[in-house]
Each structure stands twice: as C-alpha cells, then as structure tokens.
Amino acid sequence: MPDASGIELKRGLSGVYLDRTESCFIDGEVGKLLYRGYNIHDLAEKSSFEEVVHLLLKETLPNSDELNTFDRELRHDRTIPAPVLEIISQVKDAHPMDVLRTAISALAAFDPDVRDNSIEATIRKGLRLTAKAPTIVAAHDRIRKGLEPVEPNPNLTHAGNFLYMLFGKEPTEEETKLMDVDFILHAEHGANASAFTARVVASTNSDLHSAVVAGVGALKGPAHGGAAEEVMTMSEEIGSPENADEYARNLLDNGGRVMGFGHRVYKAEDPRAGHLRDRSQKLGDAKGQPQWFEILSHLQEAMKPYQAKGIHVNVDFFAGSIYYLLDIPDDTFISIFALGRIPGWTLNVVEQYSRNMLIRPLMEYTGPMDLEYVPLSERG
Ligand code: ACO
C-alpha cells in the first residue's frame, strides 16, 4: 500500500520482479525448481554437475561428444597461477570465504579475457572460474594446515577432483556422487541475494570477476549461504537427539530462528532438501554416526507447527551434516555452496549483459530537511 506521500515501499524487494529469465523457474508455493525447463529432481538424480554447467551456460544438455569436449576444457582449466597460490598463503588465517573472495579477485589479473565483457568472453571466464575455484578452496585448507596443496587430477570429475585436492586421496564413488549432487543443487536459484548482487555489479558494465567477488560477499551471510554451518553448530550444541525438542522450544520461545528453515520464495518444502535428506541419513549410518540425522529429524518434528506459516526445511538443513560427515571443516561449508553457484552467478551476469539496464532503485527519505549549515568553528 502507498504511504502518505504516495510511495509504495517494497522492503527487501520482496515480491518484486526485476526482469525476465529463461534459465531458472521457481514455484515457491508447490516447491518446484527447473533449470532451463528441466526439473531439479531429474538433474540431481540423473545428470552430473558438468552436464548442468553446460545446460546453464551453453543453454542445452550436451550430447556425449559435446560433454567430452566441454569436460576436457574444464579439467584443463583447474590449475591456478603460482602468484595466486602465494596470495592464498599470505592470507591463510582468514575465513575460507574471505580467502576465496581474495583469490578470485586476484585471478582476474591473470585472465586473458579480463577486459572483454562480451557474452562469449564472460562465459569463458565463468567456466575458468568454475574450474579453478575448487583448487583455491582445497589449496587454502591444506596450506592453513601446514600441508602441501595437491595438484588437480585431470582423471577425476569436477566433484571427485575437489575432494581429492582437499584430502590428498581419491574419494569413493559414493562420496563423489554426494559432492556432485550437492554442486548440482546449488548451481542456480534465480534472483537470490548473491545472484542479485552479481547482477547489480554487472548492470554498471563492470566485469565478471567483480560480480563473482561481490556474489561471494553476499553469499557469506548466515541468512543466505552461512546457514549450513550454523545448522551443524546447532546440532553440535544439541549433542544428542533427546535434547533436540527442548533446544528448539527454547530457541523459538526466545524469538530465535532454527537455521536451515524458512525461505523468501519457498512456502512449501525446498525441492532441493529431499535429495540431501536420504543421503545424510545413509552417510551417517555408513560412518557410524546416525545421531546427526536423528537430531535433524527431531528438529524437523519440532518445527512442524511452523509449516502452517510456510516455514519448511531449505537446502541448507541437511547439507551441513553431509559436509561434516565427509570431514569437511565447518568453516568451509559456505565455500562449497559458492563452488556450486559460480555457474549461476555467471549465468545471471550473462543475462544481465544481454539486455542491460542499470539497476538503481530509490529510497524514500525520512530524515530532516533544509537544515541551516553551521561552520565547524561555530559548532558547540
Ligand atoms: N525459524 C523460525 N522462524 C522463522 C524462521 C526460522 N528459520 N524463518 C522465518 N521465520 C519466521 C520469522 O520469525 C517471521 O515470523 P513473524 O512474522 O512472526 O515475525 C516470519 O517467519 C517471516 O520471516 P522473515 O525473516 O520476514 O522471512 P524472509 O522471507 O525475509 O526470510 C530467511 C527468509 C532469511 C531465509 C529466513 O527464513 C531465515 O532467517 N531462515 C534461517 C536462515 C536460513 O536457513 N537461511 C538459508 C536460506 S536458503 C539459502 O539461502 C540457500
């Protein structure tokens, strides 16, 4: 409703359509998500992250030959320049997302297309960033632990190679599939806060690296990508399943939020969450740590009354337990979200460029007017 001055505020831009898109459809009322028309359920269960990146950035699901060529290029682009590794060493004590943000920014200096904002060059840069970002995250984790970074292994898939570089040993097929599904689920999600941030940067005709750096910054917050880590922190505080109900009641009675629940767009269950639910349970059983899934299940039970308000689990709720069980450090959970989302940020920048208009909303001014300027020497 317009206020007394005839202005209708849309705080948080909630419910505002910014533009049209051909890449991501979300129906928040029924919990439906499509990437370029394909249902996330099919993509998560039947495709690979490499296929999904091709779908998002090259606009089609590839045939075998196309996928082989595309995948070869991604594998080839995994290494990062030695000066970027050196920068990572210099800032190794910072949060992994700060290190990722810094290293992506530094990569711009070594990208041959850095000044070219054409659609073709932007896609090339986005694919190089997609390929190199896992190397940054893995190298940082090893350097801060006093270990040598592991060279990318061109014989492994994108997901498998990431785990290999992180732990220095080849992951099992199950572990690779878990990581692959997780990357697919996080690859794109419309005008979410970080993609919108990337679009704002692109709308000034700035470049992809700047947009992705800004996207990493927006993703870092606990209301967006930080929730998976907070869910795990919460689970560790709860400690054992029988404490979960009381913990949730205390938190909610005191106006707190159960992390991993709620979403600006989904008023039904986030369709990505189910793909991680069963996998979290199976992995917990396989690792002899079923308690994490049980704690999460109790929390879900405690949150049942909130379903009437449209608050359901989101993608982050089960993701944290999977990363934890894969031995990924808690502070690196958000970085994994970022690794999956780089194709999505690139896609949003490409769409923004393809019919660009500067994004520049208004603010309703409510401060004082026409105050008399008092010179510094006369102020008390
Ligand atoms: N637990 C308890 N109550 C909640 C939760 C939650 N997780 N989320 C929302 N609510 C309640 C709010 O308290 C509010 O209640 P009120 O109307 O009685 O005041 C109502 O639901 C609406 O909340 P808003 O914050 O206005 O809703 P918005 O759409 O802006 O919030 C958000 C979405 C930020 C994700 C919110 O649900 C939240 O903070 N969730 C926890 C953090 C989280 O899991 N983030 C990950 C999001 S998914 C992603 O980025 C991949």
Side-chain angles (χ1 to χ4, degrees), residues 223-224 227 257-264 309 311 314-315 337:
H224 193 2
R257 291 182 177 209
V258 178
M259 303 311 281
F261 274 84
H263 198 277
R264 176 63 66 80
K309 288 174 79 178
I311 298 170
N314 61 49
V315 66
F337 190 154

